[in-house]
């Protein structure tokens, strides 16, 4: 019929629905010999491991309210330990009667974090909020003023210490990073080489060695009689580390800025400081928000290293709690719990970073 | 007059630079003088003379031999070798496994992809210290005692004291044998290269590989007989509460290895995956249109192109791995950081110790930077 | 449209002596490494004069105009703008940049600020004018360039011609006495070139001193008081537009005009 050279359609065709697809997931699982083998193997591993895991987590485990003897008797998870030691793990050896203070600090920091998430709120008052929030947190933790009992930093521990270290290193590291990044691109050779040296040295050595420098060398290098608080020393080490890594990211942002922006600012007779604050930095930082949030995740994870210099953050408070002889040292459960806390924070931040990246790309031109 | 000075463009720049350098130098000098005073007050002499003194602390395991009578200098060497040993193994393992992980994450198999993605997210969002301590706890608490050792393979025993496996002990003129091994490896490698090139150039090639293998076998046999070498297996045997004989991997080493490999593979896998993804889809399509299989496309077309995107972040991952080995402090494996910390504890030579630690890692990172610059220059000229 | 009849300026009082030349270049030189980009430039631009600089690419026209407001630093000879000599004194650079406004080939608008914020940024931060007053001035000039309705949009949402007109308004908000144009229409699609040239012509009609690097010979013919032809870093010929286009005197000028007309 349609073998003629001339053809004109007589009837329009209706729009029809597509045929029902065969289940594509099953097709993917068994599409080739290799993937079938993989499916069978993985399924076998799951079928073997899952009942054991369920048994360990739910069935043989000792729920909150149990005791050390019950935990020793079973080979399931000892969740009772976590419930019993929760305060010590989360807040360290902070005096129990004053523990409302670290709890308040933790909630305050989490609230500030949540407020910072929507880009709508990225205005100047946000900076003021964080600054005052940080100062209030320190005052609450430390006491000695406004009728609060004084608690030395050696008694601080747990989640508030982790959060405070993270905020301190990010917050104080960022302006230093901006200064280092700008200095690295300066024309004056002395400034440039100084910044390059600082950045490369700090990035080339492990964080452990920086913590050593801060906690062992720094007291040696200060005149006798002058001493810096141990927690502050670790904070300084983390800040220097953050500054160097953030500086490289900001430098990438500065490099991607077209030269014409600076020229336009110069032609408008903006001063050097005004050009940097009003034109260069807003654009440069906005263009590197995804790598910045990734670095923030790395810095939060790095706070756990203060274990090595004997400070009590979330991880080391948990390890301290494990030394109670009444309990059969449930390492696995404790580390799973700590890992879970870190995972929630870091994974949440990485999802947020993805969301921000997509949103910034959608808002073209902004 | 000051105004003329301050507003002159060049003079202002020079003056500010001199001020900056001066402030920095005077800060350093002030710190240095304080350090000298404090060290003198504690009776600690600055300088590296303590290198020759006997160390007098034990190192639980090492690649090269060590006794507490050896000098501090030797102890540092031992620590450094341990660090490099772990770093190399982890780097190789992470690269190979990372490639597999990248392919798994890119596959269409939902289970494989899901497992790979979950693994990557979990490993990347939990601090390395927590992971290391977790594995260490598994290895030291949850493994059975020697009496009830796990035996995944015959003669290999997994207990909470470590992994014990048989050791091959050779006696006789073994140096000849090692030379023969070296010669065989070189011969076979050359045969692979030459045969491949011949096959591409000429279409087919004489069986160099087979010949080289036969020759190598002959060389080894010759060296064995001439050297009068005899071998026996030193099998670990249960005596009392522990195994004796054979070779052992300590729980510290095992947990550090497992923890670092699992952590680093996740990052390496992501780097490799983003490199492979960066190659334009048209390359895959062109390869398929030519009739190549997906595996061959990856091997011959996509992967060589992805190397350009992979190598810079990969070298910084390698540097990260090397720096992460210092976390051996948390599990008690004696790497260079452990040796430095113990030395500082014993002698109080904090400045020298930390200086050594930082210099070691700065040299490694400098070597990697030089390599990176060379590589960048090489590929940008293409 | 009447050109060249308005000699008075509508742009506010000048502190300077009105009789001084706007721009004076004597023996100006510039090297990029070993490449001699500007050779012995001698040029004088009077108050209210409109000068168009043209020439083949690489002739140094952009370098010349960028030396005027110190975006490039000249290396020999003298450059004086409104009586202020440009030298190593930072204050001289600041003065000259306050007197000049520049419009770039690639607009160089600030993408993270709205059109209105682009125009009010410099008046607020450099001249310390109150925000409300700065916004009035900005809206006045946005009306002048005929896009007041886009004041709250971002540059990315405007067409090329609209962006360039915003750039002109932004420069005008600082009340310069000299406007510099560095190939303002070269990056525009052809249908948008006319709107920008019309804006520039109306500025000229109000008596603004203008130095303009451009390939638009129609604009040169109708608006310029003098045309400067540059080649290989030198000024080859200067003449009134009538004479320049009908009776070019130098061989190279003739060769250039043959290629483009």
């Amino acid at each position: 019929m349609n073998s003629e050279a001339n053809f004109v359609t007589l009837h329009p065709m209706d729009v029809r629905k597509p045929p029902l697809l065969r289940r594509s997931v099953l097709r993917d699982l068994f599409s080739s010999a290799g993937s079938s083998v993989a499916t069978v193997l993985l399924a076998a591993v799951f079928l073997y491991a899952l009942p054991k895991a369920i048994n360990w987590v739910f069935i043989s485990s000792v729920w909150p309210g149990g005791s050390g003897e019950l935990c020793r008797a079973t080979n399931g998870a000892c969740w009772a330990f976590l419930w019993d030691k929760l305060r010590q793990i989360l807040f360290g050896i902070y005096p129990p009667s004053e523990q409302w203070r670290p709890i308040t600090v933790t909630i305050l920091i989490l609230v500030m974090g949540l407020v910072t998430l929507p880009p709508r709120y990225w205005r100047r008052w946000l900076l003021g909020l964080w600054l005052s929030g940080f100062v209030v947190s320190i005052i609450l933790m430390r006491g000695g003023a406004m009728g609060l009992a004084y608690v030395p930093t050696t008694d601080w521990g747990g989640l508030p210490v982790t959060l405070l270290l993270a905020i301190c290193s990010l917050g104080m590291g960022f302006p230093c990073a901006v200064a280092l990044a700008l200095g690295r691109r300066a024309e004056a050779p002395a400034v440039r080489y100084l910044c390059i040296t600082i950045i490369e040295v700090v990035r080339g050595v492990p964080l452990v060695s920086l913590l050593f420098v801060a906690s062992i060398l720094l007291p040696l290098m200060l005149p006798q009689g002058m001493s810096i608080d141990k927690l502050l020393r670790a904070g300084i080490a983390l800040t220097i580390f953050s500054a160097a890594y953030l500086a490289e990211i900001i430098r990438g942002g500065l490099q991607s800025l077209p030269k014409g922006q600076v020229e336009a600012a110069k032609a408008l007779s903006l001063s050097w400081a005004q050009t940097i604050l009003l034109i260069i930095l807003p654009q440069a930082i906005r263009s590197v928000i995804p790598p910045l949030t990734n670095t923030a995740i790395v810095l939060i994870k790095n706070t756990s290293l203060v274990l090595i210099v004997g400070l009590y953050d979330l991880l080391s408070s948990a390890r301290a709690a494990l030394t109670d002889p009444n309990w059969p040292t449930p390492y696995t459960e404790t580390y799973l719990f700590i890992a879970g806390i870190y995972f929630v924070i870091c994974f949440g931040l990485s999802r947020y970073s993805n969301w921000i990246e997509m949103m910034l790309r959608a808002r073209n031109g902004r | 007059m000051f105004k003329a000075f301050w507003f002159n463009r060049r003079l202002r720049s020079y003056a500010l630079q001199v001020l900056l350098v001066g402030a920095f130098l005077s800060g350093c000098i002030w710190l240095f003088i304080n350090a000298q005073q404090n060290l003198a007050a504690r009776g600690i002499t600055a300088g590296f003379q303590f290198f020759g003194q006997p160390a007098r602390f034990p190192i639980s395991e090492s690649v090269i031999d060590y006794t507490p009578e050896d000098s501090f200098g030797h102890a540092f060497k031992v620590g450094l070798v341990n660090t490099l040993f772990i770093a190399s193994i982890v780097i190789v393992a992470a690269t190979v496994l990372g490639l597999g992980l990248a392919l798994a994450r890119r596959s269409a198999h939902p289970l494989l992809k899901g497992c790979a993605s979950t693994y990557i997210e979990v490993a990347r969002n939990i601090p390395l210290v927590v992971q290391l301590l977790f594995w260490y706890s598994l290895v030291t608490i949850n493994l059975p005692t020697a009496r009830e050792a796990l035996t995944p393979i015959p003669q290999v025993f997994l207990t909470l004291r470590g992994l014990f496996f048989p050791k091959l002990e050779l006696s006789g003129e073994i140096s000849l044998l090692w030379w023969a091994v070296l010669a065989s490896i070189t011969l076979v490698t050359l045969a692979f290269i030459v045969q491949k090139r011949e096959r591409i150039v000429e279409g087919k090639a004489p069986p160099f590989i087979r010949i080289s293998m036969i020759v190598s076998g002959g060389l080894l046999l010759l060296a064995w007989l001439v050297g009068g070498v005899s071998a026996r297996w030193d099998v670990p045997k249960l005596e009392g509460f522990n195994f004796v004989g054979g070779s052992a991997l300590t729980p510290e080493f095992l947990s550090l290895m497992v923890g670092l490999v699992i952590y680093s593979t996740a990052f390496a896998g992501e780097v490799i995956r983003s490199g492979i993804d960066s190659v334009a889809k048209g390359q895959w399509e062109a390869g398929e249109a030519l009739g190549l299989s997906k595996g061959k496309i990856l091997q011959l077309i996509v992967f060589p192109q992805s190397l350009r995107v992979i190598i810079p972040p990969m070298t910084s991952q390698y540097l990260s791995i090397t720096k992460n080995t210092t976390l051996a402090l948390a599990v008690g494996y004696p790497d260079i950081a452990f040796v430095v910390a113990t030395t500082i504890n014993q002698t109080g030579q904090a400045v020298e110790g930390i200086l050594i630690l930082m210099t070691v890692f700065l040299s490694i990172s400098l070597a990697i930077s030089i390599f990176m610059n060379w590589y960048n220059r090489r590929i940008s000229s293409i | 449209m009447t050109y060249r009849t308005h000699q008075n300026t509508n742009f506010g009082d000048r502190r300077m002596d009105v009789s001084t030349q706007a721009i004076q270049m004597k023996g100006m030189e510039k090297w990029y490494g070993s490449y001699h980009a500007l050779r012995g430039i001698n040029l004088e631009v009077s108050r209210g004069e409109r000068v168009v600089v043209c020439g083949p690419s690489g002739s140094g026209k952009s370098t010349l105009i960028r030396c005027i407001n110190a975006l490039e630093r000249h290396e020999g000879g003298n450059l004086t703008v409104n009586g202020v000599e440009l030298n190593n004194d930072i204050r001289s650079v600041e003065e000259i940049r306050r007197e000049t406004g520049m419009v770039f080939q690639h607009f160089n608008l600030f993408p993270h600020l709205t059109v209105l914020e682009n125009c009010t940024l410099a008046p607020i931060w450099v001249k310390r004018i109150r925000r409300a007053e700065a916004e009035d001035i900005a809206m006045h000039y946005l009306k002048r360039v005929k896009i007041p309705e886009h004041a709250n949009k971002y540059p990315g949402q405007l067409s090329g011609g609209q962006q360039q007109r915003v750039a002109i308004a932004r420069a005008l908000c600082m009340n310069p006495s000299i406007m510099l144009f560095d190939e303002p229409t070269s990056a525009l699609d052809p249908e948008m070139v006319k709107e920008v040239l019309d804006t520039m012509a109306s500025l000229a009609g109000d008596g603004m001193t203008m130095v303009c690097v451009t390939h638009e010979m129609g604009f040169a013919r109708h608006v310029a008081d003098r045309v400067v032809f540059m080649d290989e870093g030198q000024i080859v010929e200067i003449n009134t537009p009538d004479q320049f286009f009908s009776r070019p005197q130098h061989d190279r000028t003739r060769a250039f005009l043959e290629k483009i007309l």
Side-chain angles (χ1 to χ4, degrees), chain A residues 66-68 71-72 78 80-81 84-85 321-322 324-330:
Chain A
S67 69
C71 276
R72 267 185 255 266
C78 191
F81 171 81
D84 193 63
K85 296 279 176 189
L322 283 166
D324 190 335
N326 289 330
W327 297 87
T329 58

Side-chain angles (χ1 to χ4, degrees), chain A residues 39 190 203 220 224 245 301, chain B residues 17 38 109 121 124 323:
Chain A
T39 309
R203 278 165 55 96
L220 271 184
Q224 293 182 350
Y245 278 82
K301 291 194 295 176
Chain B
Q17 286 182 69
N38 285 329
H109 192 282
E121 287 303 322
R124 275 159 49 120
K323 290 193 287 176

Side-chain angles (χ1 to χ4, degrees), chain B residues 322-336:
Chain B
T322 314
K323 290 193 287 176
N324 281 341
T325 59
T326 54
L327 265 72
L329 275 173
V331 295
Y333 179 79
D335 72 320
I336 182 98

